[in-house]
């Protein structure tokens, strides 16, 4: 049986990029024969200095979205990172198996340090991510394309530890979404769709009404042609819409191009809006029907499972290190 780990930051409302890049895959994997850990990574979110007042609400809402999206709770553990102190402990240990140059090369470090200021948390973030994955000895990590480099670093860190102290960590593999592994903003197709984007019209949130969704697609940025063709370099906006449509409908880019070969951009935008609204709404209505009390109680039980798994790994690591 394989162990799966993935995480999501409680930095705001879950969006379409999170679903198509990661959560859809989590749902699929949770319905297979895996043991799954899905973690709300609040320690990671501290790199953005979030308002403490929002934390509890964002965590609960994120957990509810995961459940509403269909994660199979029979073989999945959903918990909050900061409640399992072993994540931070292992992170310190692993920092001794990671080169500073490796961290400085990370694209996300370069992007985020210019945005948020280059504090050490942004630099060492990938080590904490490695710890999240390795603390449960995960084999598979379903994440969006933006996390490829971080996962590669996790593999290096695990190899270095194993080589030096004995093989205890599996070398984890990345599992990507079928298509559209990186969704871009509808308003700024050069930037990824994001929870904390300044222009909220570029992001489709899980609780957007159909009206909001249609408006956002209507005003999505495309190009001056009127040809529905996938070309990331020259037609980033329309390629993003093709990605979204093909991902939700589970068809190839070529099939989308063929289906809409005689459509105008305006018509295509509305078709994409329709499929997105039909995709989002069942999730939102499931979300709405969940009881906060029941979810909080489930989180308590799940936390004990996560703690026990993390404690076991930490004991092994400490023993190998002689501490
Ligand atoms: N635009 C995206 N396209 C595809 N996948 C995405 N993911 C995030 N954005 C996209 C994937 O969703 C998972 C959870 O992401 P996260 O919450 O850990 O952090 P993030 O990557 O920083 O996501 P956001 O939504 O953009 O948050 P903020 O605004 O706080 O930075 C990950 O697997 C990620 O790959």
């Amino acid at each position: 049986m394989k162990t799966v780990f993935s995480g999501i930051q409680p930095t705001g409302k879950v969006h379409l990029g999170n679903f198509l890049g990661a959560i859809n895959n989590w749902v699929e994997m949770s319905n297979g024969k895996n043991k799954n850990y899905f973690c709300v990574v609040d320690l990671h979110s501290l790199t953005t200095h979030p308002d403490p007042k929002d934390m509890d609400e964002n965590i609960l809402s994120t957990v509810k979205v995961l459940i509403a999206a269909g994660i199979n709770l029979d073989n999945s553990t959903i918990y909050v990172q900061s409640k399992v102190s072993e994540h931070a402990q292992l992170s310190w240990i692993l920092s001794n198996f990671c080169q500073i140059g490796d961290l400085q090369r990370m694209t996300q470090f370069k992007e985020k340090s210019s945005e948020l200021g280059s504090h050490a948390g942004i630099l060492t973030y990938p080590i904490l991510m490695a710890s999240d994955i390795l603390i449960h000895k995960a084999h598979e990590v379903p994440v969006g394309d933006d996390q490829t480099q971080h996962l590669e670093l996790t593999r290096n860190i695990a190899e270095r530890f194993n080589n030096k102290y004995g093989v205890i960590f599996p070398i984890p593999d990345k599992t990507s979404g079928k298509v559209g592994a990186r969704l871009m903003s509808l308003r700024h197709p050069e930037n990824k769709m994001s929870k904390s984007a300044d222009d909220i019209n570029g992001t489709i949130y899980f609780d957007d009404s159909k009206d909001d969704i249609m408006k956002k697609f209507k005003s999505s940025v495309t190009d001056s042609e009127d040809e529905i063709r996938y070309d990331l370099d020259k037609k980033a906006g329309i390629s993003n819409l093709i990605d979204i449509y093909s991902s939700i409908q589970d068809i190839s880019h070529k099939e989308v191009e063929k289906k809409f070969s005689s459509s105008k951009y305006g018509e295509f935008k509305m078709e994409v809006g329709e499929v997105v609204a039909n995709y989002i709404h069942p999730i939102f209505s499931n979300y709405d029907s969940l009881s906060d009390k029941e979810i909080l109680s489930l989180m308590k039980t799940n936390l004990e499972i996560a703690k026990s798994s993390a404690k076991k790994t930490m004991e092994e690591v400490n023993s190998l290190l002689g501490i």
Side-chain angles (χ1 to χ4, degrees):
M1 188 198 287
K2 285 197 168 171
T3 300
V4 172
F5 176 90
S6 202
I8 183 164
Q9 300 188 71
T11 35
K13 288 184 192 172
V14 176
H15 58 78
L16 189 64
N18 297 134
F19 286 117
L20 302 185
I23 299 171
N24 271 359
N25 239 342
W26 302 5
V27 171
E28 200 174 308
M29 296 183 98
S30 78
N31 284 308
K33 289 196 171 89
N34 305 303
K35 185 171 164 194
N36 307 282
Y37 294 92
F38 298 118
C39 187
V40 180
V41 289
D42 54 346
L43 293 178
H44 282 284
S45 76
L46 299 183
T47 53
T48 64
H49 303 143
D51 189 334
K53 288 200 298 296
D54 298 334
M55 198 53 103
D56 280 350
E57 196 182 323
N58 280 344
I59 289 175
L60 180 61
S61 156
T62 305
V63 171
K64 284 171 70 179
V65 169
L66 298 183
I67 295 170
I71 286 187
N72 181 352
L73 296 171
D74 289 341
N75 53 14
S76 305
T77 302
I78 302 180
Y79 71 102
V80 180
Q81 184 188 31
S82 63
K83 305 276 189 256
V84 179
S85 53
E86 284 82 358
H87 282 263
Q89 281 174 41
L90 183 61
S91 177
W92 167 250
I93 289 170
L94 297 180
S95 69
N96 299 293
F97 297 85
C98 182
Q99 302 297 312
I100 295 172
D102 288 342
L103 296 170
Q104 287 167 329
R105 268 194 293 281
M106 295 291 117
T107 313
Q108 208 173 73
F109 168 68
K110 291 180 194 158
E111 283 170 7
K112 296 226 162 169
S113 56
S114 56
E115 200 184 297
L116 302 166
S118 52
H119 59 71
I122 298 175
L123 182 69
T124 57
Y125 180 109
I127 306 178
L128 182 57
M129 179 168 159
S131 160
D132 300 337
I133 295 164
L134 300 178
I135 197 77
H136 297 300
K137 299 191 178 182
H139 304 95
E140 298 275 347
V141 187
V143 282
D145 238 20
D146 54 323
Q147 297 299 325
T148 306
Q149 255 192 334
H150 292 166
L151 213 261
E152 202 43 54
L153 188 64
T154 300
R155 292 165 59 89
N156 293 340
I157 291 174
E159 270 166 6
R160 286 185 201 133
F161 185 97
N162 285 352
N163 289 340
K164 179 97 185 149
Y165 288 103
V167 180
I168 66 158
F169 296 124
I171 307 303
D173 286 319
K174 171 176 173 285
T175 327
S176 272
K178 283 180 201 140
V179 249
R182 188 186 309 214
L183 247 64
M184 309 312 275
S185 158
L186 300 183
R187 300 288 299 164
H188 309 276
E190 66 286 359
N191 299 331
K192 78 168 187 144
M193 189 178 283
S194 166
K195 293 191 211 80
S196 47
D198 290 336
D199 188 348
I200 59 164
N201 291 318
T203 301
I204 302 290
Y205 298 103
F206 81 95
D207 61 350
D208 276 349
S209 68
K210 180 162 184 186
D211 207 31
D212 289 336
I213 293 174
M214 298 313 275
K215 274 191 198 137
K216 287 181 182 180
F217 277 99
K218 198 168 180 189
S219 67
S220 63
V221 169
T222 47
D223 53 72
S224 54
E225 295 178 1
D226 215 358
E227 187 192 359
I228 293 152
R229 177 169 53 83
Y230 197 83
D231 182 338
L232 277 180
D233 291 334
K234 297 196 187 108
K235 295 163 79 71
I238 209 73
S239 300
N240 192 36
L241 299 188
I242 295 176
D243 255 337
I244 294 172
Y245 192 91
S246 75
S247 181
I248 296 180
Q249 299 295 76
D250 202 9
I251 60 175
S252 68
H253 294 157
K254 283 273 162 262
E255 285 170 298
V256 182
E257 286 172 356
K258 201 167 156 210
K259 186 169 162 90
F260 294 100
S261 59
S262 54
S263 304
K264 303 266 179 222
Y265 277 0
E267 292 159 0
F268 181 52
K269 286 180 180 180
M270 291 302 92
E271 287 283 339
V272 184
E274 281 286 337
V275 300
V276 168
N278 289 338
Y279 169 82
I280 290 278
H281 279 139
I283 299 176
F284 182 60
S285 78
N286 288 343
Y287 175 95
D288 225 18
S289 68
L290 292 170
S291 129
D292 288 0
K293 204 170 147 216
E294 281 174 28
I295 300 302
L296 288 167
S297 145
L298 178 105
M299 283 165 70
K300 259 193 186 162
T301 331
N302 275 214
L303 179 59
E304 292 314 312
I305 302 171
K307 274 186 174 169
S308 149
S309 157
K311 187 165 174 259
K312 207 164 146 233
T313 306
M314 208 59 229
E315 281 170 1
E316 274 183 74
V317 169
N318 284 342
S319 152
L320 285 171
L321 293 171
I323 57 174

